[in-house]
Amino acid sequence: MNNGKLISFEGIEGVGKSTTINYIKKFLEKNNIDVYCTREPGGTRFGESIRDILLSNKSVISPEAELLLIFAIRNQHIEDIIIPKLKAGTWVLCDRFIDASFAYQGYGKKVNLKKIESLVDNFTKKVLPDLTIFFNLPYNLAKKRFPRNKNKDRFENLNDIFFNDVYNGYMKLANENKKRIKSIDANQSKDSVQKQIIRELTAAFEEIEQ
Ligand code: TMP
């Protein structure tokens, strides 16, 4: 369907995804690869508006309604942004994607995994990441990195049990999808985390030379 690659980045909050994605973008560009960075929930104007509602502490949203909103955002994102970019040969770096729905809504909020699988089967146009980088940092360590003074959003306000479940969910997903999901030890320096990711990218894609 495409010449570009879709690479997603996953992990609980506090693991340092966003800064690393910018570094990876620059690394790929040095390899003459055209790169587009995006995120979920979000990525389109529609998606970013709904993201504001999902993250607002004023919102009262059930786990299943949350799941449906996230998949509405994802469907629009895939159709308007991800597929056209991949078709144009661009590599798409996505800060969170399908695995986050299994980890947060499934393992975290206990929505039946079969319901999530059925949304994936029916509303994602068979778009799966070529590679997923999982920033592996247990919650007790990630928690220490949560910004102190920031006003927490609706997700960040969830409790320790929830985040432990999300982390364990990600571990399960990584173990069940070893070929696609590469687990990175995120309890390391920024430099070491970046090197681990570059190693995985170089092993996965022949387009990368250095
Ligand atoms: P972010 O702050 O990392 O961009 O993500 C916003 C929140 O959205 C984060 O707490 C995780 C959550 N989320 C889900 O619960 N399910 C999903 O499918 C995605 C993509 C994100």
Side-chain angles (χ1 to χ4, degrees), residues 20-193:
T20 313
I21 292 172
N22 283 325
Y23 173 83
I24 299 300
K25 177 177 194 276
K26 289 191 191 113
F27 167 78
L28 292 173
E29 283 170 347
K30 275 195 215 139
N31 276 270
N32 297 318
I33 292 167
D34 189 28
V35 182
Y36 185 83
C37 291
T38 186
R39 68 174 178 183
E40 287 198 354
T44 62
R45 189 185 257 207
F46 160 75
E48 291 293 327
S49 309
I50 306 292
R51 176 191 170 92
D52 289 343
I53 297 171
L54 281 168
L55 265 54
S56 165
N57 284 307
K58 290 191 194 130
S59 304
V60 178
I61 311 173
S62 72
E64 289 192 348
E66 184 176 289
L67 178 75
L68 292 169
L69 287 174
I70 287 170
F71 270 83
I73 294 171
R74 182 163 295 139
N75 179 275
Q76 193 82 45
H77 190 205
I78 288 171
E79 195 152 312
D80 289 1
I81 309 282
I82 297 179
I83 289 179
K85 292 285 179 199
L86 294 176
K87 278 192 175 155
T90 302
W91 288 34
V92 178
L93 305 186
C94 196
D95 189 344
R96 300 188 187 282
F97 198 57
I98 287 169
D99 298 298
S101 302
F102 286 101
Y104 281 79
Q105 281 66 48
Y107 292 103
K109 298 200 173 175
K110 315 296 177 207
V111 177
N112 188 321
L113 297 180
K114 290 220 158 46
K115 292 186 180 176
I116 308 179
E117 278 163 17
S118 119
L119 290 169
V120 172
D121 289 345
N122 290 292
F123 299 104
T124 59
K125 318 246 169 206
K126 304 209 182 319
V127 173
L128 250 193
D130 295 285
L131 186 76
T132 297
I133 300 291
F134 166 49
F135 288 69
N136 186 345
L137 187 66
Y139 173 58
N140 59 332
L141 298 174
K143 193 181 175 182
K144 292 186 187 151
R145 300 193 193 173
F146 282 19
R148 293 256 163 84
N149 303 322
K150 183 178 173 256
N151 286 336
K152 288 184 177 176
D153 66 36
R154 200 172 65 86
F155 285 93
E156 291 163 340
N157 270 323
L158 290 160
N159 62 25
D160 290 355
I161 295 171
F162 172 80
F163 280 111
N164 266 313
D165 287 349
V166 172
Y167 172 74
N168 290 330
Y170 270 130
M171 289 296 286
K172 202 159 185 285
L173 291 164
N175 280 324
E176 287 166 356
N177 300 275
K178 283 209 168 86
K179 215 169 155 231
R180 173 176 65 83
I181 305 182
K182 300 299 173 191
S183 181
I184 300 296
D185 179 2
N187 190 25
Q188 301 285 333
S189 66
K190 202 157 90 179
D191 197 45
S192 155
V193 169

